[in-house]
C-alpha cells in the first residue's frame, strides 16, 4: 500500500491474517508469494526489497539494496531460488532469494521505468514491460536480451505474464489494450 505496509488476507473471508507488515520507508509497489507459500517478497519506492515470513510476519534476513530508484515490480523464480526485480532506474536485477545478493550484471536496455517483470514457467527467461512502450525478453542466466523488443503498444506497458506453457506473453498497457505475443517469433 501507499501507507508503506503489507497485509495478508484470507481469500475466502476477506479478513486480515496476522499482523500488518511494516518496515519499508516508502510505498510498497509490488508483492509476491514464494512458490512454496512460506515467504513474501516486497518491493518499495524506498529502492529496496524485503523478504518476510508468511506465517509470522517477521522480516527475514537483510534488506536487498542496489536499485537507485524505486522498485516497481518483482517475482520469484519458479523454484523459489531467485527474485527478479524491475525499477524506475530502468534496470532489472536478479537476486539470490536467501542471501539477498545480486546475481550477475544489471539487465539494461529499456529507456523508461521497468514496470513489470515475470519469469517463464521453467525459469529460463524473463519478460519485462516498460514505460518506454516495449516488452523485452531476457535470458535469465546471462542477462542477454533475446530478440528485438516487442513493440505495438502506444503507451507504457504496465503488466506482463507468461502463459502456463511459456509460449505466449500477455501484456497490459496504459493504452487501454491487452496484447498477446508469441515468445518465439515476437
Amino acid at each position: 500500500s501507499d501507507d508503506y505496509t503489507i497485509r495478508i488476507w484470507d481469500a475466502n473471508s476477506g479478513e486480515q491474517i496476522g499482523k500488518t507488515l511494516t518496515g519499508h520507508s516508502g510505498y510498497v509497489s509490488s508483492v509476491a508469494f514464494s512458490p512454496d507459500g512460506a515467504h513474501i517478497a516486497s518491493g518499495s519506492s524506498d529502492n529496496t526489497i524485503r523478504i518476510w515470513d508468511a506465517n509470522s510476519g517477521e522480516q527475514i534476513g537483510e534488506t536487498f539494496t542496489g536499485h537507485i530508484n524505486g522498485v516497481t515490480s518483482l517475482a520469484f523464480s519458479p523454484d523459489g531460488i531467485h527474485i527478479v526485480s524491475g525499477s524506475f532506474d530502468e534496470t532489472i536485477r536478479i537476486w539470490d532469494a536467501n542471501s539477498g545478493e545480486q546475481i550477475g550484471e544489471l539487465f539494461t536496455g529499456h529507456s523508461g521505468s521497468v514496470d513489470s517483470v515475470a519469469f517463464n514457467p521453467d525459469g529460463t527467461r524473463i519478460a519485462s514491460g516498460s514505460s518506454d512502450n516495449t516488452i523485452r525478453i531476457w535470458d535469465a542466466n546471462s542477462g542477454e536480451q533475446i530478440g528485438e523488443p516487442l513493440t505495438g503498444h502506444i503507451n507504457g506497458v504496465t503488466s506482463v505474464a507468461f502463459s502456463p506453457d511459456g509460449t505466449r506473453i500477455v501484456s497490459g498497457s496504459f493504452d487501454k489494450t491487452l496484447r498477446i505475443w508469441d515468445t518465439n517469433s515476437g
Side-chain angles (χ1 to χ4, degrees):
S1 170
D2 282 349
D3 67 9
Y4 306 177
T5 69
I6 300 150
R7 296 173 189 258
I8 302 170
W9 306 90
D10 183 293
N12 293 316
S13 70
E15 297 294 319
Q16 182 174 335
I17 298 171
K19 67 181 186 177
T20 301
L21 311 183
T22 60
H24 281 294
S25 60
Y27 65 84
V28 179
S29 54
S30 187
V31 292
F33 271 103
S34 61
D36 65 5
H39 300 112
I40 296 167
S42 60
S44 171
S45 65
D46 67 10
N47 308 353
T48 70
I49 297 165
R50 294 173 186 252
I51 305 294
W52 310 86
D53 182 289
N55 292 315
S56 72
E58 296 300 317
Q59 183 175 332
I60 299 171
E62 297 297 315
T63 301
F64 298 17
T65 59
H67 282 294
I68 59 171
N69 207 328
V71 176
T72 56
S73 182
L74 54 76
F76 276 93
S77 61
D79 60 11
I81 294 173
H82 297 115
I83 294 171
V84 61
S85 61
S87 171
F88 283 117
D89 67 13
E90 302 178 3
T91 69
I92 298 159
R93 295 174 190 249
I94 302 273
W95 309 86
D96 181 296
N98 291 316
S99 71
E101 295 296 318
Q102 183 179 320
I103 309 267
E105 299 298 315
L106 300 176
F107 296 25
T108 59
H110 282 295
S111 60
S113 61
V114 179
D115 297 328
S116 185
V117 290
F119 274 100
N120 73 340
D122 69 8
T124 60
R125 292 183 178 186
I126 293 166
S128 60
S130 173
S131 64
D132 68 9
N133 308 350
T134 70
I135 296 129
R136 294 174 189 254
I137 301 172
W138 310 85
D139 182 294
N141 294 314
S142 70
E144 295 296 317
Q145 184 176 313
I146 298 170
E148 293 299 312
L150 308 181
T151 59
H153 283 294
I154 59 171
N155 209 325
V157 178
T158 57
S159 187
V160 293
F162 280 94
S163 62
D165 65 4
T167 63
R168 293 173 290 162
I169 294 171
V170 63
S171 59
S173 169
F174 280 122
D175 68 13
K176 304 178 187 173
T177 68
L178 299 173
R179 292 176 184 254
I180 301 173
W181 310 85
D182 181 293
T183 56
N184 292 317
S185 70

